[in-house]
Amino acid sequence: MNLSQILTFLEVAKHNSFRKAAQELTLTQPAVSAQIRSLEEELGAPLFLRQRVRLTSGGKAFLPYARQVAALLEEGKRAVQDTEEMLRGKLTIGATSGAAITILPRLLTYFRDIRPRLRVTVHTLSGNQVVQGVLEGRLDAGINYLDQPLDHLQNQVLFYDTLTLIAPLDHPAARESYFRLEKLKETPLISLVPEATEQKLIDRILREKGIRTESSIELTSLEEVKRMVREGLGLALIPRLCLDPMTDDGLRQLRVPGLKNQLPVVLLYPKERYHSSALRRLLNDIRGIYTPEGEWS
C-alpha cells in the first residue's frame, strides 16, 4: 500500500467516478483502475462497486482511515513549509518611541536568541504612522499605546503602563515623596507635541481628572523630553515604561496620587489579510513575551 493508491482511492470516492478521478489526478483512467485494483488486492476486499461506481461496505470502512492519512500528509507539508519560511522569514515591526525604549531591547534579544534566522526590522514611528503602516501593509505588526478603539485592525493588549512625574534630582519637588494632582494645574510641564499618541493619552487622562496643564516646551520624542528634564528645564509627566534604569538614574520619579489610570500597550496586526507562518509565529512569540498580568502591570 502506498500514498498514491490512498490519494487515488479518495478521489474516486469523492467523485464516484474513475474518469473524473483520473482527470483530477492527471492520470489515465486505466492507471487509476490499476491503482485501485492493486489496493483492493492488498486489503483483500473490493472497495468499489464497478457498475455504478460507489463504495462497498469495505470501502466505507476504509474511507475515514484514508482521510486521516491524507490529513497527516497535508499537516506534514505545512510543517515543512512553515519551517522553511521561518528560516528565510523577514518581518517589519513599527513601534512608538515610548514603547520602543523598554520593549525593543527585550523583543530583539528574544529573537536573536530564540529565532536567530528570522530577520526582524523595527522602525520607531509616531502612533499614527504605526497604525497607517500596518493598515497599508508596509508593517507586518505594530506596538503602540492605544488612545482610541481600532475596529479596522486586530489589537491585543500586551500589558498596561502608568504615568509618572519626573524631575531633575536638584529640583525642589525631588525632595518630596509625591506630587499633588491639583498642583499640576499651576506647574508648566515639558511635554510631547499634541499629536503624539502618548500625549493624547496623557491629556485625556488629565481632562477626566479636571486638570488642565500648560506646556513650557513641546518636543517630538520622549528621549528629548527626558533630556530636557535632566538638564533642569522643568518637570514632565510621561509613561513609566519610557524610563530606562540604566540611563535615567539622573531623574527622580514622583508619584501623583489620583493618577492610577492604566495605559494599554497593544499589539496591532492586520485583521483580514493573510498571516504568513512567520507572522503567526511572531505574534505568538510576542504574546508569550509580554502578558497583561506580567511584570509590567
Side-chain angles (χ1 to χ4, degrees), residues 101-171:
I101 291 169
T102 300
I103 294 171
L104 292 188
R106 187 177 179 186
L107 179 64
L108 296 179
T109 298
Y110 173 86
F111 282 104
R112 181 196 65 197
D113 296 341
I114 306 300
R115 307 267 185 224
R117 295 190 181 184
L118 176 61
R119 183 179 172 189
V120 180
T121 302
V122 180
H123 297 293
T124 303
L125 305 165
S126 70
N128 289 337
Q129 288 173 324
V130 170
V131 172
Q132 283 302 118
V134 177
L135 275 175
E136 294 169 7
R138 290 179 284 105
L139 299 174
D140 294 297
I143 300 175
N144 194 11
Y145 285 93
L146 185 66
D147 65 327
Q148 59 184 345
L150 295 172
D151 295 334
H152 42 296
L153 287 175
Q154 294 278 32
N155 53 87
Q156 176 181 344
V157 175
L158 295 174
F159 51 84
Y160 293 92
D161 198 359
T162 57
L163 292 177
T164 187
L165 190 72
I166 56 172
L169 295 179
D170 59 356
H171 193 281

Side-chain angles (χ1 to χ4, degrees), residues 158-201:
L158 295 174
F159 51 84
Y160 293 92
D161 198 359
T162 57
L163 292 177
T164 187
L165 190 72
I166 56 172
L169 295 179
D170 59 356
H171 193 281
R175 295 192 289 269
E176 304 295 330
S177 59
Y178 67 93
F179 196 93
R180 287 189 301 106
L181 182 63
E182 288 295 316
K183 200 174 177 182
L184 287 175
K185 292 179 179 179
E186 57 195 57
T187 305
L189 298 175
I190 300 170
S191 67
L192 290 166
V193 291
E195 60 268 23
T197 301
E198 293 89 345
Q199 194 59 47
K200 288 179 182 177
L201 277 167

Side-chain angles (χ1 to χ4, degrees), residues 10-244:
L10 287 171
E11 282 298 326
V12 176
K14 177 180 177 182
H15 299 288
N16 285 326
S17 168
F18 283 76
R19 181 180 58 82
K20 288 182 181 178
Q23 291 173 348
E24 290 293 326
L25 296 168
T26 62
L27 295 172
T28 64
Q29 189 168 331
V32 169
S33 297
Q35 289 206 43
I36 296 299
R37 195 161 49 246
S38 175
L39 182 59
E40 288 174 328
E41 289 173 0
E42 189 166 347
L43 291 172
L47 298 173
F48 293 98
L49 298 172
R50 296 308 201 265
Q51 281 298 93
R52 183 179 170 190
V53 179
R54 61 187 185 277
L55 288 168
T56 63
S57 57
K60 291 176 182 178
F62 183 64
L63 182 61
Y65 296 99
R67 284 174 174 164
Q68 286 182 43
V69 170
L72 280 172
L73 172 65
E74 191 59 34
E75 187 176 331
K77 283 181 180 178
R78 285 199 301 269
V80 171
Q81 290 166 358
D82 283 356
T83 300
E84 288 303 307
E85 186 173 347
M86 284 303 299
L87 289 176
R88 61 177 183 271
K90 179 181 177 183
L91 295 167
T92 304
I93 302 173
T96 57
S97 61
I101 291 169
T102 300
I103 294 171
L104 292 188
R106 187 177 179 186
L107 179 64
L108 296 179
T109 298
Y110 173 86
F111 282 104
R112 181 196 65 197
D113 296 341
I114 306 300
R115 307 267 185 224
R117 295 190 181 184
L118 176 61
R119 183 179 172 189
V120 180
T121 302
V122 180
H123 297 293
T124 303
L125 305 165
S126 70
N128 289 337
Q129 288 173 324
V130 170
V131 172
Q132 283 302 118
V134 177
L135 275 175
E136 294 169 7
R138 290 179 284 105
L139 299 174
D140 294 297
I143 300 175
N144 194 11
Y145 285 93
L146 185 66
D147 65 327
Q148 59 184 345
L150 295 172
D151 295 334
H152 42 296
L153 287 175
Q154 294 278 32
N155 53 87
Q156 176 181 344
V157 175
L158 295 174
F159 51 84
Y160 293 92
D161 198 359
T162 57
L163 292 177
T164 187
L165 190 72
I166 56 172
L169 295 179
D170 59 356
H171 193 281
R175 295 192 289 269
E176 304 295 330
S177 59
Y178 67 93
F179 196 93
R180 287 189 301 106
L181 182 63
E182 288 295 316
K183 200 174 177 182
L184 287 175
K185 292 179 179 179
E186 57 195 57
T187 305
L189 298 175
I190 300 170
S191 67
L192 290 166
V193 291
E195 60 268 23
T197 301
E198 293 89 345
Q199 194 59 47
K200 288 179 182 177
L201 277 167
I202 292 168
D203 290 343
R204 190 187 73 200
I205 289 169
L206 291 177
R207 278 197 308 272
E208 290 171 355
K209 299 292 182 181
I211 304 293
R212 181 167 182 162
T213 61
E214 291 186 11
S215 296
S216 58
I217 306 172
E218 291 182 353
L219 301 166
T220 57
S221 81
L222 285 160
E223 283 300 313
E224 292 175 341
V225 169
K226 292 190 296 181
R227 183 163 63 85
M228 293 299 102
V229 174
R230 276 195 298 269
E231 292 183 7
L233 297 180
L235 309 180
L237 193 62
I238 65 171
R240 181 175 61 86
L241 277 180
C242 302
L243 291 168
D244 185 338

Side-chain angles (χ1 to χ4, degrees), residues 1-9 35 38-39 42 62 69:
M1 185 185 306
N2 59 48
L3 186 59
S4 179
Q5 292 170 336
I6 291 173
L7 295 178
T8 300
F9 165 77
Q35 289 206 43
S38 175
L39 182 59
E42 189 166 347
F62 183 64
V69 170

Side-chain angles (χ1 to χ4, degrees), residues 259-274:
L259 280 188
K260 294 182 180 179
N261 300 68
Q262 294 183 315
L263 314 180
V265 178
V266 297
L267 173 65
L268 304 173
Y269 52 99
K271 180 175 279 190
E272 297 178 354
R273 290 201 306 272
Y274 169 73

